[in-house]
Amino acid sequence: MSLNTYETIYVLKPDVTDSVNFSLVNYYKGLLKEKGANNIVVQHRGRRHLSYNIFHYYDGIYVQMNYQANGQLVKFLEKSMRLNDSIVRYLTIRQEIMQSVDVY
């Protein structure tokens, strides 16, 4: 089965502690590894103001994950995020890999 490249960004509630934040990052990174994802890169994007309030929150803590996986793993990951009370929003996009082209 071929692996696609995905980017998942999730937004945590602003009152989430650093320890909960890091434990979630480690949980999702471990989940991706366990289910067969490759090239997992996690970046903390920090606290940002939301364009509109979500559940009466005006700020959120953004975390970005880039990885290679199959579509079934993405479904599993998003279901896990949907059930997590600390996450207010998440979005996964499939990224197209650009072939490098030599231009002379």
Side-chain angles (χ1 to χ4, degrees), residues 45-61:
R45 294 295 182 184
R47 181 184 297 264
R48 295 189 179 182
H49 187 70
L50 301 173
S51 298
Y52 54 92
N53 72 340
I54 303 172
F55 305 127
H56 305 292
Y57 293 109
Y58 293 93
D59 293 323
I61 301 168

Side-chain angles (χ1 to χ4, degrees), residues 7 13 15-16 25 27-29 31 47 49 54-55 65 67 73 81 84 90 94 102:
E7 177 177 284
K13 293 177 179 178
D15 54 4
V16 166
V25 166
Y27 171 76
Y28 287 122
K29 195 171 183 179
L31 182 85
R47 181 184 297 264
H49 187 70
I54 303 172
F55 305 127
M65 298 189 305
Y67 53 94
L73 176 53
M81 289 183 172
N84 190 313
Y90 58 87
R94 193 177 78 152
D102 294 331

Side-chain angles (χ1 to χ4, degrees), residues 40-101:
I40 304 165
V41 178
V42 179
Q43 299 176 6
H44 291 272
R45 294 295 182 184
R47 181 184 297 264
R48 295 189 179 182
H49 187 70
L50 301 173
S51 298
Y52 54 92
N53 72 340
I54 303 172
F55 305 127
H56 305 292
Y57 293 109
Y58 293 93
D59 293 323
I61 301 168
Y62 284 68
V63 179
Q64 175 182 337
M65 298 189 305
N66 296 80
Y67 53 94
Q68 291 179 320
N70 63 46
Q72 293 299 324
L73 176 53
V74 173
K75 285 182 183 177
F76 185 80
L77 178 69
E78 288 188 339
K79 182 176 181 182
S80 174
M81 289 183 172
R82 186 170 43 254
L83 298 174
N84 190 313
D85 289 339
S86 297
I87 297 176
V88 294
R89 283 287 188 274
Y90 58 87
L91 176 69
T92 301
I93 58 170
R94 193 177 78 152
Q95 297 181 318
E96 298 296 326
I97 301 300
M98 301 295 291
Q99 298 290 331
S100 63
V101 178

